[in-house]
Amino acid sequence: MSQPSTNSWITVQTNPSLEDSMTHLLFYSTVFLGRCFYIVGGVLSWTDPSNRVWRYNLVTHTWQEMSPMQESRALMSVTVLKGYIYAMGGYRDDDGTLLRTAERYQPNINQWTFIASMNEERKNASCTTLNNKIYICGGWSNRALNTAEYYNPDTNQWTLITPMGTPQRRNASCTTLNNKIYICGGWSNRVLNTAEYYNPDTNQWTLITPMGTPRYRLGFMSQLRWDGFNQPGST
């Protein structure tokens, strides 16, 4: 874990009671909420998707296993909106069943609850939040998807939007800037250097200048305000 005050990295210790499970975890998702870091789902072996959730407290430097999700998921999409953690899609079971179900976690009562299901099954999809909605883009559903949709928590409804210009099978990076959603890189039938943005006011995607180097699994840096040692707060 990075410690900006000293421009250094420190080792995060695991809880011995959780170490065996966490050491062999694959295809999980991570998210940050309320000065805690969450590890959500994944597989405990190549063929055993999990619904387990772990939380690391950045203030007390302790791990805790939280309530499990309603459904086992790996390669799902995870984000935070209005103090809830949302887990969407992925696959379950050793037969690789793809999911369009979604659920959200309420930290103050340590509980997961199903929400409306997406219009499409998706794994490895990219997601972000904008204007109090969750946008999920691309992914895999027996083909590389160019479809995208958003979730409105006020109405508990998913709505399809205009498809992207480029299908994104997995690991595209997604962020927001100036009230637009940007998708960069990823993997379709090859590693991509394409980039495009979505304007919710016009419901249109626009291709922009490609990146110089094809990339997938690249990351965007989120802005954080640091109030002290290992105590980040959102800006």
Side-chain angles (χ1 to χ4, degrees):
M1 181 173 63
S2 174
Q3 183 180 332
S5 60
T6 61
N7 191 29
S8 62
W9 290 85
I10 62 175
T11 300
V12 174
Q13 299 299 322
T14 58
N15 185 318
S17 65
L18 306 177
E19 189 167 354
D20 285 346
S21 297
M22 295 176 67
T23 298
H24 302 289
L25 195 64
L26 301 166
F27 305 147
Y28 54 87
S29 296
T30 60
V31 72
F32 176 85
L33 175 63
R35 296 181 178 175
C36 290
F37 173 77
Y38 290 80
I39 295 177
V40 183
V43 293
L44 300 177
S45 68
W46 288 103
T47 59
D48 185 21
S50 171
N51 64 349
R52 297 173 71 178
V53 178
W54 293 272
R55 182 176 73 184
Y56 181 75
N57 189 308
L58 294 169
V59 178
T60 63
H61 303 286
T62 54
W63 285 98
Q64 182 181 4
E65 185 162 5
M66 312 309 292
S67 291
M69 292 183 290
Q70 297 286 335
E71 194 155 29
S72 296
R73 301 175 188 272
L75 299 177
M76 81 216 81
S77 304
V78 171
T79 193
V80 169
L81 181 65
K82 293 183 176 180
Y84 293 92
I85 297 173
Y86 288 80
M88 301 154 287
Y91 76 91
R92 70 177 183 204
D93 303 330
D94 57 5
D95 63 358
T97 301
L98 295 173
L99 299 172
R100 66 183 188 94
T101 58
E103 52 189 294
R104 72 179 183 183
Y105 176 73
Q106 188 172 346
N108 63 329
I109 61 173
N110 189 28
Q111 183 176 337
W112 288 89
T113 305
F114 277 119
I115 62 172
S117 294
M118 298 181 292
N119 289 284
E120 291 214 52
E121 300 167 345
R122 302 175 188 271
K123 70 175 181 179
N124 272 325
S126 302
C127 68
T128 190
T129 60
L130 180 65
N131 298 331
N132 293 320
K133 297 179 177 67
I134 297 171
Y135 286 80
I136 190 164
C137 308
W140 178 260
S141 180
N142 298 316
R143 69 189 192 284
L145 297 174
N146 68 343
T147 59
E149 51 190 301
Y150 71 81
Y151 175 74
N152 185 336
D154 295 330
T155 61
N156 189 31
Q157 184 175 4
W158 289 92
T159 302
L160 286 165
I161 62 175
T162 300
M164 298 182 293
T166 304
Q168 298 281 356
R169 176 174 178 172
R170 66 184 183 192
N171 301 128
S173 292
C174 186
T175 193
T176 57
L177 179 67
N178 297 330
N179 203 43
K180 296 179 177 64
I181 297 170
Y182 286 79
I183 295 279
C184 303
W187 181 283
S188 185
N189 58 354
R190 67 188 191 285
V191 181
L192 300 172
N193 68 342
T194 56
E196 55 189 300
Y197 69 82
Y198 174 75
N199 186 336
D201 295 331
T202 62
N203 189 28
Q204 293 295 322
W205 289 91
T206 301
L207 287 168
I208 58 177
T209 303
M211 298 183 292
T213 303
R215 302 174 187 271
Y216 75 113
R217 293 179 178 165
L218 71 156
F220 289 109
M221 178 64 71
S222 299
Q223 290 185 343
L224 298 175
R225 181 185 70 250
W226 289 84
D227 302 320
F229 178 70
N230 290 336
Q231 297 183 26
S234 60
T235 57

